[in-house]
Amino acid sequence: ADALDTAAARLVDGILLYAPKLLISDDELLEMSHGIPIVRRDYVLDSRLTWVGYSQEHATRLVVQHLVDLGHRQIAEITGSLDFINPRLRHETRLALLTAQGLEPGPSYTGDYSSFANAMKTGYEGVCEFLRRGAEFTAIMTVNDHAAAGALYALHEHGLRVPDDVSIASFDDDAIAAYLIPPLTTVHFDFDIQNRLASQFLLEQISDPDYRHHQHVLIPDLVIRQSTQPPQ
């Protein structure tokens, strides 16, 4: 509400809203917006406002099914706070997919991924926590590529090899993913396309008072590299 009040005071023409933790109704958001056109750069299926986002369910299916098809049956998860939209959807989808295939979901660790440094720390601490608890897993799904980097380092510290002992798959396909050792299997999100579409829709909404709100679901791809293989 404070951010939208500030935008109105500055007489902005439109707002691109990236609010991955915002779980309020459209009516509440519109009431705060002072009539300023808004486009959400989020995946929010229950919103009737204009938004652009990647299907988190499809992205999770790509990762989980890839690992299951390789033969993994104990798939761990290092994720972000479930108060955030994307981690919550991925967590729920992972549980549903594994359960539907008669598999017991592996251990899960929740941490902070709000910055690259925090994500790497979360990945590192997640692996350390799994090993401290004696949890069994042959693969890990991490919240993003920087969390995967932290997980890789923790596994290396404990004498575990990737992918020989543990496979890792992630999300984003950040530039770092192809240069980790080993290069990382990850879901490719083209954030440039997402940003361009959101900007285009906002400009259309600003210029046309009769603009019809619409939602645009983007479908990601899985980039398979050397961090995943069948369990040994």
Side-chain angles (χ1 to χ4, degrees):
D2 290 342
L4 294 171
D5 288 345
T6 299
R10 295 181 178 181
L11 304 178
V12 303
D13 293 309
I15 296 170
L16 279 176
L17 183 65
Y18 175 52
K21 199 176 180 181
L22 185 65
L23 299 173
I24 65 172
S25 70
D26 291 344
D27 291 338
E28 289 179 275
L29 182 57
L30 290 172
E31 187 176 345
M32 298 177 191
S33 68
H34 305 279
I36 302 170
I38 288 181
V39 171
R40 291 194 66 170
R41 184 197 170 279
D42 294 303
Y43 180 67
V44 278
L45 285 175
D46 58 348
S47 174
R48 64 182 184 276
L49 302 178
T50 296
W51 56 262
V52 181
Y54 275 97
S55 170
Q56 298 302 314
E57 296 92 344
H58 180 74
T60 307
R61 281 195 295 271
L62 290 174
V63 170
V64 172
Q65 198 59 52
H66 170 66
L67 294 171
V68 170
D69 289 346
L70 287 173
H72 292 280
R73 298 296 179 264
Q74 297 165 311
I75 302 172
E77 171 192 50
I78 297 176
T79 188
S81 169
L82 301 186
D83 291 334
F84 286 78
I85 296 169
N86 291 351
R88 176 172 50 82
L89 288 173
R90 293 177 193 168
H91 175 75
E92 293 171 352
T93 302
R94 167 181 168 269
L95 293 179
L97 289 170
L98 293 175
T99 301
Q101 298 188 56
L103 300 176
E104 183 73 24
S108 182
Y109 179 86
T110 300
D112 180 6
Y113 76 122
S114 59
S115 68
F116 291 159
N118 288 340
M120 287 187 281
K121 183 179 179 184
T122 288
Y124 178 86
E125 291 179 345
V127 168
C128 292
E129 175 64 14
F130 294 157
L131 296 175
R132 185 190 67 78
R133 286 162 35 194
E136 295 185 357
F137 59 95
T138 62
I140 304 174
M141 180 180 86
T142 63
V143 66
N144 63 22
D145 300 331
H146 288 82
L152 281 167
Y153 186 72
L155 290 166
H156 173 74
E157 267 195 343
H158 288 84
L160 294 170
R161 300 163 299 166
V162 176
D164 303 75
D165 300 314
V166 180
S167 287
I168 294 184
S170 185
F171 298 87
D172 286 0
D173 196 21
D174 190 275
I176 190 178
Y179 297 96
L180 294 172
I181 300 175
L184 187 64
T185 294
T186 182
V187 173
H188 177 74
F189 294 138
D190 191 330
F191 295 121
D192 287 342
I193 288 178
Q194 186 178 8
N195 293 334
R196 284 200 300 271
L197 284 172
S199 300
Q200 174 190 328
F201 295 155
L202 181 59
L203 291 172
E204 292 173 0
Q205 190 171 329
I206 290 170
S207 63
D208 181 4
D210 297 320
Y211 178 87
R212 293 181 60 187
H213 291 289
H214 60 281
Q215 296 76 43
H216 195 95
V217 179
L218 298 169
I219 304 300
D221 297 311
L222 182 67
V223 180
I224 299 175
R225 298 192 179 97
Q226 287 76 54
S227 68
T228 53
Q229 72 173 29
Q232 301 300 303

